[in-house]
DNA sequence: CGGACAACCTGGCGGC
DNA sequence: TGCCGCCAGGTTGTCC
């Protein structure tokens, strides 16, 4: 989002193209095309994992899902190959905004009101009003595994599989711990850990494990700073124990069995 | 409420 | 080399 902003703000959309209609989620492709045409881009923002491109009378919303990429190409590079481009928006300066997605899971939306898409999302964890009390109120009081709760976008928005694992490790909490078993100190640790993990992810400009690329096409570096994600069998940077991988909430889940013990009272021995 | 699973899709990788 | 099965930064819906 930050990388796209300078290339997009003040541009005017003067055409679009697509070759996979299902990616155009709302409204129908015909209406989408007619309505977006000639609208000027006023701002580029974000809500949870949704990129919001503010137009004069609509919001162009993009979700990259697993393998989506959004980037701008200058006129001289428009012939450059990318076999996974499925939607293009022509800009008034001759450039082109491309949505590329090998798995075709990503979606684009054109709406008057953001609530049409993100109405059920929980609070933004990096906002100032996201306090420890809010965090605990959103996630606490139930028996679900903490990892599953962190991934639940209706309780807290924007935490994905990588940063859920990273936050739990930073807070030294096992991913299977029931939410109603955390003590006040653990709640506070996890609160700060979630924010720190997300903040660092943004600072490192995303994780380029396979497909993700920044707006300028280069790789983010978050993957070079993972504590547990994608590090199965490697030594924990804190204690040296091998990182383990299990399945929680149907997602691959990485943790250090020594730093993040499941048994109550189990104390890490280094 | 919550867990399991399928669906949506394609590509990369390890194993044989 | 080739084929097969498994895995993947996410979300939604169904069933139990």
């Amino acid at each position: 989002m930050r990388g796209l902003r300078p290339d997009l703000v003040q541009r005017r959309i003067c055409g679009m193209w697509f070759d996979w209609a299902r990616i155009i989620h709302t409204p129908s492709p015909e209406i989408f095309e007619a309505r977006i045409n000639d609208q000027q881009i006023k701002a580029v923002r974000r809500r949870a994992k949704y990129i919001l491109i503010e137009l004069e009378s609509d919001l162009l919303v993009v979700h990259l899902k697993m393998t989506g990429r959004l980037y701008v190409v200058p006129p001289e590079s428009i012939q450059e190959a990318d076999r996974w481009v499925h939607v293009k928006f022509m800009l008034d300066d001759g450039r082109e905004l491309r949505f590329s997605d090998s798995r075709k899971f990503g979606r684009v939306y054109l709406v008057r009101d953001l609530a049409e898409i993100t109405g059920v999302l929980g609070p933004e964890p990096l906002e100032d009003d996201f306090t420890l009390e809010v965090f605990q109120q959103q996630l606490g009081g139930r028996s679900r595994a903490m990892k599953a709760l962190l991934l639940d976008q209706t309780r807290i928005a924007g935490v994905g599989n990588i940063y859920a694992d990273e936050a739990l490790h930073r807070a030294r909490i096992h991913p299977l711990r029931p939410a109603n078993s955390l003590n006040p100190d653990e709640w506070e640790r996890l609160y700060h850990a979630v924010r720190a993990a997300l903040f660092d992810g943004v600072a490192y400009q995303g994780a380029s494990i396979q497909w993700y690329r920044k707006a300028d096409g280069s790789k983010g570096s978050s993957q070079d700073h993972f504590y547990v994600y994608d590090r199965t069998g490697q030594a924990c940077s804190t204690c040296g124990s091998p990182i383990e991988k299990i399945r929680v909430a149907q997602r691959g889940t990485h943790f250090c069995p020594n730093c993040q013990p499941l048994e109550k009272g189990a104390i890490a021995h280094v």
Side-chain angles (χ1 to χ4, degrees), chain A residues 217-229:
Chain A
S218 63
K219 295 183 176 186
S221 57
S222 189
Q223 69 284 356
D224 300 332
H225 305 272
F226 288 164
Y227 291 102
V228 288
Y229 189 85

Side-chain angles (χ1 to χ4, degrees), chain A residues 9 39 45 68 73 81 96 117-118 126 131-132 141 160 163 177 193 216 218 223 225 235-236 248:
Chain A
V9 173
Q39 287 203 55
R45 298 183 288 120
V73 283
E96 193 176 88
I117 310 166
T118 62
L126 292 177
T131 61
L132 171 59
Y163 300 106
R177 284 282 301 281
D216 67 1
S218 63
Q223 69 284 356
H225 305 272
C236 170
V248 180

Side-chain angles (χ1 to χ4, degrees), chain A residues 206-220:
Chain A
S208 294
I209 299 165
Q210 289 176 62
W211 291 91
Y212 178 75
R213 291 297 181 274
K214 291 155 56 180
D216 67 1
S218 63
K219 295 183 176 186

Side-chain angles (χ1 to χ4, degrees), chain A residues 156-229:
Chain A
I156 175 172
V159 180
N161 203 37
I162 290 176
Y163 300 106
D165 284 3
E166 293 296 302
L168 287 163
H169 180 267
R170 286 176 186 238
R172 308 193 303 278
I173 292 170
H174 192 288
L176 285 173
R177 284 282 301 281
N180 57 13
S181 76
L182 266 61
N183 65 36
D185 184 52
E186 290 174 325
W187 277 112
E188 184 165 1
R189 271 161 29 205
L190 187 57
Y191 166 75
H192 291 296
V194 165
R195 293 178 34 123
L198 291 174
F199 186 87
D200 284 0
V202 173
Y204 291 127
Q205 301 176 82
S208 294
I209 299 165
Q210 289 176 62
W211 291 91
Y212 178 75
R213 291 297 181 274
K214 291 155 56 180
D216 67 1
S218 63
K219 295 183 176 186
S221 57
S222 189
Q223 69 284 356
D224 300 332
H225 305 272
F226 288 164
Y227 291 102
V228 288
Y229 189 85

Side-chain angles (χ1 to χ4, degrees), chain A residues 64-162:
Chain A
L64 303 179
K65 297 284 178 82
M66 307 283 270
T67 52
R69 292 179 186 175
L70 198 56
Y71 61 97
V72 174
V73 283
E76 62 270 22
S77 309
I78 274 177
Q79 298 308 317
E80 269 179 29
D82 177 345
R83 54 184 282 216
W84 299 292
V85 174
H86 297 299
V87 185
K88 298 178 191 175
F89 299 99
M90 281 44 110
L91 304 175
D92 61 356
D93 61 357
R95 297 198 243 192
E96 193 176 88
L97 173 63
R98 287 179 170 178
F99 176 73
S100 162
D101 187 357
S102 71
R103 289 181 74 176
K104 300 173 179 163
F105 281 1
R107 292 291 180 264
V108 302
Y109 315 73
L110 192 67
V111 293
R112 307 275 188 218
D113 181 6
L114 182 60
E116 291 178 42
I117 310 166
T118 62
V120 293
L121 287 180
E124 286 288 327
L126 292 177
E127 292 295 305
D128 289 342
D129 56 5
F130 187 81
T131 61
L132 171 59
E133 289 68 36
V134 171
F135 178 60
Q136 204 166 337
Q137 185 203 327
Q138 288 293 114
L139 301 194
R142 64 203 77 237
S143 61
R144 268 179 106 182
M146 283 311 304
K147 165 85 185 252
L149 282 162
L150 288 174
L151 291 176
D152 185 341
Q153 303 297 302
T154 67
R155 309 205 163 274
I156 175 172
V159 180
N161 203 37
I162 290 176

